[in-house]
Amino acid sequence: MSCPGMGQLLSNTLYYKRFFPYYAFNVLGGLDAEGKTITANHVCCVFTYDAVGSYERVGYSTQGSGSSLIMPVLDNQLKSPSPLLLPAKDAVTPLSEAEAVDLVKDISLLMLLYIKEGKQCFSRLCHRCLIYNKNDEVGVVLFGTEGTDNELTREVGGYEHVVVLCESKVVDGDILDAVQRLPRGTVPGDFIDAIVVGMDMMIKKFGVTNKGKKRICLITSAREPIKEPYEGTKEDQIDTIASQMNAHGMKLESIVVRELASNANKNIMDENDHLLSRFSKKAGARVVHVEDPTSLLGAFRTRNISPVTIFRGDLELSPRVKIKVWVYKKTSEEKFPTLKKYSDKAPSTDKFATHEIKVDYEYKMADDPVKVVPPEQRIKGYRYGPQVVPISSAELEAIKFKPEKSVKLLGFTSVSNILRHYYMKDVYIFIAEPGNKEATLAVSALVRAMKKMNKVAILRCVWRQGQGNVVVGVLTPNESNQENIPDSFYFNVLPFAEDVREFQFRSFSGLPASCQPNQQQQEASDKLVMMLDLAQPEKSEDLRPDFTPNPVLERFHHVLELKSKKPDSDIPSLDKTLKRIIEPDSKILLQNRALIDEFCKLFDVKENPKIKKSTRRLWTKTSLDGEGESVHGSLNDHGVPSFNSEGKPIVSQIGDKTPVEDFEAMMARRDGVEWVNKAMKDMKSFIYDLVENSYEGDAYSKVLDCLIALRKGCIVEQEPKQFNDFLRQLCKFCQEKDLASFCKFLVSKQIMLITKAEAIDSDATEEDAINFLVKTEPAT
Amino acid sequence: MEEDLDDLFRDDDEDPESEFNQDREYSKEMVVFLVDASPPMFAALDNGGDQHEESHFHVALDCISQSLKTQIIGRSNDEVAICFFNTREKKNLQDLNGVFVFNVAEREHLDRPTARLIKEFDCIEESFMHSIGSVHGIMAGSRENSLYNALWVGQALLRKGSSKTTDKRMLIFTNEDDPFGSINGAAKTDMIRTTLQRAKDAQELGISIELLPLSRPDEEFNLSILYADLLGLEGEDIAQYIPSVGEKLEDMKGQLRKRMFKKRKIRRITFSIVNGISIELNTYALIRPTVPGSITWLDSVTNLPLKAERSFICADTGALMQEPPKRFYPYKGKNIMFTTEELSKIKRVSTGHLRLLGFKPLSCLKDYHNLRPATFVYPSDEEIVGSTCIFIALYRSMLRLERCALAFYGSSSQPHMVALVAQDEVTDSSGQVEPPGMHMIYLPYSDDIRHVEELHMDTNVATPRASDDQIGKATALMKRIDLKDFSVCQFANPALQRHYAVLQALALDEDEMPEVSDETLPDEQGMARPGVVNALEEFKISVYGENYDYEASTKAESDAAKKRKAAAETAAMECAHYDWAELCEGGKLNGLTVVELKYYLNAHNLPVTGKKEVLINRIMNHTRKA
């Protein structure tokens, strides 16, 4: 007899004697029909009764005289969040769907460069957990630390230089704070030790039974040697660990961060890579190599969405030949979260106020604004020209297009027939039905044949019964290069005839000669295209979409965290790592300055003089912070003639058009001593502004002119201290603001302190002056 | 993640700010079609060996009719008038000879196209000679100038509406390049002068005149005789204007159709390249999903449109409020507040323009790097002179070096990393097929990409890979089923066609629902060709083996599927115990329990949702039909 059945029986028995009840207090317990699954949610089946048989299934219960004493204890132990909390939390914290993540982080010496990004990664993870998966647990293990602090060392010894920063637990503010104080490591770390410690932590915490998704993320540079194990080879060790991982359902994700460095030991790196790839073979681990901090942020998966199939069924090559496939989404845009509207009507004393706002729609007659038309009196209408054609939902249902659920092949065609820009939507992926060997083979054969022949397939898809439209799209092969990942197809939706607008554009060769680039210009542009190459052969590809985080979402999460600490905090500007996504790499630009300058010189760009200033759109002013300045600056360089200060009778401040002339004019003013000081002061703040607002070093040449002018002015006026102090400050400022490129630029242009020889009051010797910048540079 | 596919047409763009709501420039377009109806237009044309004889007049009507149909679907606010000149009858407000304005009931001369207009226009050709009639145009000895009259009527029709908010156009369809050819002397110069003056006046009023010349098979349309002056064309423009003489009539139709659309740009953006050099680009939406128009709620009694009113109600107190300025987001158990300005500041990570990041080989752009339809960009020198030159230089370099540009497009609502792919111009006999320019492809971020392949990864064992023989068989199959000249947009959307066919039928109060053919179904005959069947069979044997039981191979079904199957089976069994016909007729269904009713529904594959009454109704309906 099943437990619920027994419960009913007992209830009936009690009720049967309701006029003269049994003197009994009943609690009935057992395992329910699915009793074999002892998950946290359904450990058992407990019924509690009143005297006449009214009963209720509960998680736990007490009866009898001690009931009032023991119940609070049970509540405390079993119903961990207080029952007073509103909304009520689940009686038993379910871990079944939650995810447990162990972050294993290399903080050894060579990883120092990435310590900040590592922190950021972790904060990202925590933010996401706090927002999306509140029950996820996170722990942090550091390796390559000076000290050693982990349970395994205490229990069995070994495992040195591995520190458990925090035990696995539900994310809260404490973890975030702990990570912000991430210590810096000093000794080489052994990632295998660290993985073992991480696994140990998970196994101890969750045991074998727990079904939560367990994930170990390893972030390392994998540059230091792995210790020889006590017995067996390193490979054996990996195999053992891998089999343990499989047994406990853990997944390993390793991100290897490594910049192109010559000083690292190649052999060790190769060996480590080999070891890691063995993991991926044995335990399905994922290994990713990244080279810059932005990619590290992007490569680190913070949120695992369990995907849902769009379609399961047959891919029909013909009515007789079919392949079983499953279809998932491959890309799906993660939208900016929708924020609820806030209502301040509820009194501040009301703790349970939701502060939400409901939006209500009322439909009213156009000519009678008082009368509200009830929903049943409304009918849908579609516009057809000036007419609105009413169609009731039932009618619409009856006459609408109803294709049968199916995925059918229309034919194959050559790749060149499908241009890339015809892809309409996010992308689907077709995989063979898991575990179906023949289907996998069939897909694999088609994929490889398509790749070989340069063909794509055209499909007609109706994902499910009752869907009101069909989708025609293109299936492209996705050959897998890992031996344990099967081949698959990508599917992109193509437009219908109605979706394409055939606008005509003039062909470029038909444009007037003034719009045609000459040979020189064409060469410059070729060079530019080659120079700004983001996928140089010896490096890994920059800004791969797969490794690029969404800057807007990152920023939102960051602000969320800031605001949770300080509600009125301002919105910070974009983090430097993320800036890389929206702006070109200043390093490359600076390296190829000559090329870019040539490009700029060859092409003449100017505002159309025919358009009146007032009607001209604010294309220079709408830009954010730094860009406005630079666009403006560039405009001065090209086309619009600069006005010389000669035209102005008195110069009383430094304008941004002709700063040097303004400065000289001010210095030359003899109608008051204060002008010299003011000129210098203005010039300094002007230079600061320029440096700070410059991007990709575009304003540097201007800064240089200003600096030279200032230096000259200071020598003339015998005010070396002004200049020297300023230069020191400026360099310090640059280092703080990550503008190291500017210091380098100064060195290359040989700007130095004013020496004793030049001005007698100077506190700097010749040597100081030369070494000054050289010295500050390596520290950056 | 589960996207509601049922909501078939509303998949993107809930964001009203979104750039995909195009058409910023002009809210509305007004077009007057001026169709020459002189006898030469009716001359039969040799249609490339086709039995069907067609005339230029027919081609023009065909194009107009197609354009009307697209218009009523996509841009039903635009207004049109159709006007024939060189006609026997006259019908126009000015009462000028030789001009006939075609119209239907309940419609002004220049108005939005209606279902009736489209329908009657479709059959005008049969009755044309009878009811309107065709005469030769300007004849010697007569003072009547039908071209002048037509322009005047057109201009008068386009009088309404401000030229700032509407885009006014006159499209002239003619195959006569020299309308004043039959007269000479002072009368001719005088007529030409007045006609040109009329055209100039119209253009000064903001009406653009366009010509859709129909070349006769033997001679090319000579613009320079009259029309170049009439349209105000000079030098090179003339060469651009002449259509390449159509080999086939189909091609001519294609060319005309393409020219009838006016390009509409979405917006003008600046593209900053390096070092503060920025150029100006216009963006165009060449490909966007067409969806049935939005729903308007009507009162079911009067069929009058209803006004929707939105009100905000505080969930705690029930108080009515204004649209609140603040939003909140729950985080760490607290409500974090944002003002709308803060939110837009967060979203504005970059200026609203395009910024070059670098270049990549085209191979780096993978097939799964896609999120939404691409946007086309074409340079413009309107505000920044020199943009086109830089653009062309980069465009050519990219084409030659096979690179795409990576840029950040910082629009306020949807900042995105984009790839700019240069597209070479492609033309064929029907004109331009792919315009030259770059396509902006929206790239996903790492957050948007899912790693499905790894989900079903086999640990420890290599997955099966096809052998060379199997690949060979697949290759043979591919050679057999080859769509040689597949073009991306050759299919009409059957759902949309159906929707509008139904609307048209309802709008015209027709009883019969039209059948719309589904062009997207596979070509069954082609698939049944012996060569194809053999290739398929060989592929099947090579992959599946000789005696492969297709269904049996499917492994254990999911639990849910099992349950469903079991339920259906029991339902079928239980269902047989009742005599449903009798129950229905006797009205005894009410006496059954919902569970019992569901046996029937389950057994007959009907939906089981709803209240008991609904279920009973459903069963009654079903039994009646059966």
Side-chain angles (χ1 to χ4, degrees), chain B residues 38 57 62 86 218 328 473 481-482 530:
Chain B
S38 61
F57 189 71
D62 222 38
N86 294 334
D218 41 349
F328 72 96
K473 291 285 190 301
I481 322 178
D482 193 12

Side-chain angles (χ1 to χ4, degrees), chain A residues 269-408:
Chain A
M269 292 202 308
D270 284 347
E271 191 196 356
N272 285 340
D273 286 350
H274 169 71
L275 290 177
L276 283 173
S277 67
R278 198 171 175 88
F279 261 123
S280 72
K281 231 178 269 168
K282 297 283 171 187
R286 173 172 171 266
V287 184
V288 177
H289 289 258
V290 294
E291 282 175 11
D292 59 303
T294 318
S295 305
L296 171 59
L297 276 186
F300 185 66
R301 280 188 211 162
T302 46
R303 189 179 168 206
N304 262 2
I305 301 168
S306 22
V308 184
T309 48
I310 304 285
F311 172 86
R312 291 185 192 195
D314 299 331
L315 164 61
E316 295 176 35
L317 300 185
S318 82
R320 298 199 51 216
V321 185
K322 299 170 185 174
I323 304 171
K324 290 244 177 250
V325 290
W326 287 11
V327 182
Y328 289 96
K329 281 251 169 150
K330 175 69 187 170
T331 62
S332 171
E333 193 168 354
E334 195 164 339
K335 297 246 166 70
F336 193 84
T338 333
L339 276 71
K340 287 184 185 138
K341 298 186 177 68
Y342 184 80
S343 149
D344 49 5
K345 293 277 188 237
S348 55
T349 48
D350 185 357
K351 279 199 190 108
F352 302 124
T354 55
H355 294 290
E356 283 173 27
I357 288 180
K358 276 193 228 143
V359 183
D360 201 35
Y361 287 94
E362 279 183 341
Y363 292 88
K364 293 178 176 169
M365 312 275 276
D367 48 351
D368 183 8
V370 190
K371 201 180 152 208
V372 176
V373 180
E376 62 274 12
Q377 207 191 317
R378 288 202 311 254
I379 186 166
K380 275 181 191 165
Y382 285 95
R383 217 162 249 297
Y384 192 70
Q387 275 170 290
V388 181
V389 182
I391 306 183
S392 70
S393 305
E395 262 181 303
L396 196 65
E397 188 60 34
I399 54 174
K400 93 173 183 198
F401 180 65
K402 280 181 231 113
E404 285 290 306
K405 168 183 173 180
S406 64
V407 172
K408 290 190 165 118

Side-chain angles (χ1 to χ4, degrees), chain B residues 183-341:
Chain B
I183 51 171
N184 43 36
K188 177 172 180 176
T189 43
D190 186 48
M191 271 181 154
I192 291 181
R193 190 182 52 75
T194 46
T195 312
L196 291 183
Q197 189 55 43
R198 171 65 40 213
K200 218 177 135 209
D201 287 352
Q203 277 159 338
E204 270 165 17
L205 284 171
I207 299 168
S208 63
I209 303 179
E210 279 164 50
L211 176 72
L212 297 165
L214 300 145
S215 298
R216 288 181 216 174
D218 41 349
E219 54 180 317
E220 199 170 298
F221 197 94
N222 191 347
L223 270 174
S224 49
I225 298 178
L226 170 77
Y227 280 102
D229 291 333
L230 188 96
L231 305 171
L233 295 180
E234 281 167 30
E236 271 181 55
D237 291 341
I238 298 180
Q240 286 273 323
Y241 219 87
I242 290 280
S244 52
V245 184
E247 303 268 301
K248 282 183 274 167
L249 216 51
E250 274 307 306
D251 293 343
M252 197 190 295
K253 267 190 212 165
Q255 284 181 10
L256 289 183
R257 205 183 60 233
K258 283 175 191 171
R259 299 227 338 233
M260 277 164 68
F261 287 112
K262 177 139 180 105
K263 293 197 284 264
R264 297 183 184 202
K265 62 173 174 254
I266 312 175
R267 63 168 57 138
R268 188 180 299 163
I269 55 172
T270 56
F271 178 28
S272 84
I273 298 174
V274 276
N275 233 14
I277 283 205
S278 301
I279 63 171
E280 180 190 352
L281 299 176
N282 285 337
T283 59
Y284 299 88
L286 295 192
I287 298 171
R288 289 290 178 271
T290 308
V291 296
S294 56
I295 294 167
T296 319
W297 284 103
L298 303 175
D299 183 347
S300 60
V301 182
T302 57
N303 273 352
L304 286 176
L306 298 173
K307 224 170 46 187
E309 266 180 27
R310 190 170 62 162
S311 50
F312 298 99
I313 296 166
C314 172
D316 300 318
T317 58
L320 264 178
M321 27 193 322
Q322 295 294 312
E323 163 125 47
K326 282 191 171 177
R327 309 285 151 108
F328 72 96
Y329 197 83
Y331 179 72
K332 281 194 194 166
K334 279 190 275 186
N335 286 337
I336 313 289
M337 311 281 289
F338 290 91
T339 61
T340 30
E341 292 83 58

Side-chain angles (χ1 to χ4, degrees), chain A residues 102 139 164 166-168 197-205:
Chain A
D102 249 8
V164 176
C166 32
E167 289 283 348
S168 187
V197 170
M199 284 173 66
D200 172 69
M201 196 162 98
M202 280 213 190
I203 295 171
K204 277 184 185 141
K205 169 108 193 200

